[in-house]
Amino acid sequence: TYSQHPTPKPSNNPTAAPGAFTIQLVNMGTISDYDVQIQHAKERWERIIVEDMPDYTPDNWESYDWFLGAFDDDPPFRQETVDDIVIGYVFEEMDGTSGTLAEAGPRKYL
């Protein structure tokens, strides 16, 4: 069992220990009921993946949509630099009738 603690708000300027693998979470929706579980999964993966990756800054970061239109966000999530990985998520009803539970996939490979 996980201990319950307040869900930290996503930061547009993540700070991590030098050399640590960093996962930044961004809740792109309004439902935060499962943020604690998502945070625990993030922390677990940060303990499993121990090698840092180079930071990435796109040339046109002011107009760059990190999630390539995957979310109905206006304006899209903007951030100058990503340290390792940024994961956007949203909880919403999908199709229900055919039983789809979740959908995921990469949006950018470097």
Side-chain angles (χ1 to χ4, degrees):
T1 1
Y2 292 116
S3 63
Q4 296 296 315
H5 54 81
T7 303
K9 293 287 183 190
S11 167
N12 281 343
N13 297 308
T15 55
F21 185 82
T22 304
I23 299 172
Q24 180 183 357
L25 300 174
V26 183
N27 184 339
M28 302 299 288
T30 57
I31 298 172
S32 60
D33 297 356
Y34 306 102
D35 284 354
V36 169
Q37 289 83 0
I38 300 261
Q39 180 68 28
H40 287 298
K42 166 200 175 301
E43 292 166 0
R44 181 176 173 93
W45 279 109
E46 286 177 335
R47 288 190 306 272
I48 293 169
I49 304 171
V50 294
E51 189 165 328
D52 193 25
M53 295 172 53
D55 295 355
Y56 178 74
T57 304
D59 293 333
N60 60 341
W61 76 268
E62 295 91 351
S63 62
Y64 188 79
D65 179 0
W66 282 99
F67 302 117
L68 304 177
F71 299 104
D72 295 327
D73 54 330
D74 187 24
F77 174 75
R78 303 270 189 250
Q79 179 172 306
E80 183 174 355
T81 300
V82 165
D83 178 16
D84 300 330
I85 189 169
V86 60
I87 298 174
Y89 64 95
V90 62
F91 295 99
E92 61 187 11
E93 187 173 329
M94 292 179 75
D95 59 5
T97 56
S98 65
T100 300
L101 176 64
E103 179 180 66
R107 298 291 179 218
K108 177 76 176 169
Y109 292 103
L110 303 178

